[in-house]
Amino acid sequence: MNVRIEHDTMGEIAVPADHLWGAQTQRSLEHFKIGTEKMPDALILAFAQLKKAASVANHNLNKLSAAKQAAIAQACDEIIAGQWADEFPLSLWQTGSGTQTNMNMNEVIAYRANQLTSETIHPNDDVNMSQSSNDTFPTAMHIAAYAEIQSSLLPVVAQMQAVMLQKQAQYQQLVKIGRTHLQDATPLTFGQEISGWEAMLSMSMHQINESAQHLLALAIGGTAVGTGLNAHPLFGAKVAQQLSVQTGYPFVSADNKFHALTSHDGLVYAHGAIKGLAANALKIANDIRLLASGPRSGIGELQLPANEPGSSIMPGKVNPTQAEALTMVSVQVMGNDAAIGFAASQGNFELNVYKPVIIYNFLQSVGLLTDALRSFNVNCLVGMEAIPSRMDELVQQSLMLVTALNPQIGYEKAAKIAKAAFVNNCSLKEAAIASGDVTPAQYEQWIDPLKMVNLQTSTTEGEETNGN
């Protein structure tokens, strides 16, 4: 392997000649051979956006020449475009401040920028001007987290909502039996059931979007401990302003840089809302796969798309695989939330040094949920169909229709009828008539599943509504 000799304050070190990184990146590669996890791509892109914005701010504050600024910005643009993806190889498991990744970025930008200008660009003095790893890394964390939420996760949730709203309208009058405690309850329509799922997604979107606003406040300008040493007093605000221009997101400089360096409660709060989405997704996926259980020996109220064979030994078996994948992702997100919460609690003195594991888990949660919800929506929800005949069959079999008799004959008599139907293995109607408390005509008048769902429908006088 061809090498070149680079140096830093620790001395000389051999670096692969065909790569752009420098001495500090190489030392990290050699000293942190831990695991397979790397710094997420979204964080690397966010870092490049930050370094570009910092170069603009430093130039505007008369601290960086136009030639250097232009070269740094071009190098950053190339990184953002994906041109130098192989130049960021460092392990996630490194220094807790992310210093080595910050220097990896500085070195790559400096090496490439030196190819673009005759001026000498230094990774620390120029690319990292007015900055510290302690404020750049948390700033990149916020940029990446906010961008991934807005550009990836929330649009997919909105697509899923749209499908649910269509299904809700389609099945608004399809009556089915409700279930509480895994036992039969009173009827509702399938549209009403879906509306509950859709409302979960709507609430999650609101909570995620609201909590993500805390990520717009950036640590940049705080430098080493929050005092802003070696940075112009306006540097943080100018970087945030430039980032808003570059990304389209309304970033601002954090009011309290001491808080921004030592605490990551904004990420904890935002991920808590993402965990809430995972909890809702798990509930929805489990409901759907249970309602589709069967097809002959389960509930069997839903028909799900058959995407692939479900068994290597049982011919013809089809499983609710999209639901299973989404529930596993949801469990992973909940585990990530525990890791993020604990890591964020470790902000000792002026700096939290668990930053890499926080952003790795955060971005993994966003990425996994984005992919899993998209897959579930396209490969399951869109093609999901109700089976009206099965729903009607189970409604008619349910003993909890007896609840409609409470206002007519009282709770005690209604309970005796339900118990008699169960013990004698007969229909609710047969047991009600046999009790002597209800006539056949009264039963037909009082036991109407559609009237029990409290569905607001407008019908002409004398018209009967068929719920199926």
Side-chain angles (χ1 to χ4, degrees), residues 118-357:
S118 59
E119 295 195 34
T120 300
I121 296 177
H122 192 278
N124 295 82
D125 296 336
D126 297 310
V127 183
N128 199 60
M129 179 184 288
S130 308
Q131 304 155 59
S132 163
S133 300
N134 296 353
D135 66 345
T136 58
F137 199 91
T139 297
M141 289 167 72
H142 277 213
I143 296 169
Y146 188 83
E148 289 300 295
I149 286 172
Q150 296 297 331
S151 66
S152 299
L153 181 59
L154 292 183
V156 168
V157 179
Q159 292 166 12
M160 193 170 172
Q161 269 190 288
V163 172
M164 283 194 175
L165 287 170
Q166 182 270 321
K167 298 284 185 183
Q168 177 184 337
Q170 179 182 355
Y171 295 120
Q172 189 61 14
Q173 293 196 7
L174 176 55
V175 178
K176 66 184 295 289
I177 199 65
R179 297 176 179 87
T180 60
H181 303 272
L182 300 181
Q183 304 295 307
D184 295 350
T186 56
L188 75 167
T189 73
F190 188 37
Q192 290 173 324
E193 189 167 41
I194 294 173
S195 77
W197 300 338
E198 188 278 327
M200 292 179 190
L201 296 182
S202 179
M203 177 61 74
S204 288
M205 282 193 69
H206 171 73
Q207 292 173 338
I208 292 171
N209 203 28
E210 182 182 69
S211 62
Q213 302 310 303
H214 295 274
L215 303 179
L216 293 171
L218 304 179
I220 193 68
T223 64
V225 296
T227 62
L229 179 66
N230 292 348
H232 191 284
L234 297 178
F235 177 72
K238 286 188 174 294
V239 172
Q241 183 180 24
Q242 178 62 27
L243 281 168
S244 297
V245 172
Q246 293 172 198
T247 65
Y249 300 128
F251 291 112
V252 297
S253 179
D255 292 334
N256 188 312
K257 303 298 193 299
F258 306 102
H259 170 258
L261 269 61
T262 194
S263 172
H264 291 303
D265 50 6
L267 286 159
V268 173
Y269 184 32
H271 195 274
I274 292 169
K275 181 185 71 171
L277 172 61
N280 284 338
L282 194 149
K283 182 267 191 296
I284 292 167
N286 269 336
D287 278 0
I288 287 174
R289 69 171 177 159
L290 288 171
L291 291 173
S293 61
R296 296 287 179 85
S297 301
I299 294 175
E301 292 183 346
L302 298 180
Q303 179 68 50
L304 303 183
N307 297 319
E308 68 282 312
S311 173
S312 62
I313 188 173
M314 293 174 281
K317 195 172 191 298
V318 178
N319 296 329
T321 50
Q322 290 295 321
E324 292 168 359
L326 181 53
T327 56
M328 286 191 289
V329 163
S330 297
V331 168
Q332 181 64 51
V333 171
M334 292 176 184
N336 287 350
D337 193 71
I340 289 171
F342 186 81
S345 74
Q346 303 303 301
N348 303 127
F349 305 123
E350 277 63 63
L351 187 69
N352 178 293
V353 291
Y354 287 66
K355 299 184 193 300
V357 74

Side-chain angles (χ1 to χ4, degrees), residues 62 109 194 437 443:
N62 299 315
I109 292 172
I194 294 173
D437 295 316
Y443 187 89

Side-chain angles (χ1 to χ4, degrees), residues 54-66 68-69 125-126 129-130 232 234-235 238:
S55 75
V56 172
N58 279 319
H59 173 63
N60 291 341
L61 293 168
N62 299 315
K63 299 186 69 174
L64 192 68
S65 72
K68 287 186 176 184
Q69 190 278 315
D125 296 336
D126 297 310
M129 179 184 288
S130 308
H232 191 284
L234 297 178
F235 177 72
K238 286 188 174 294

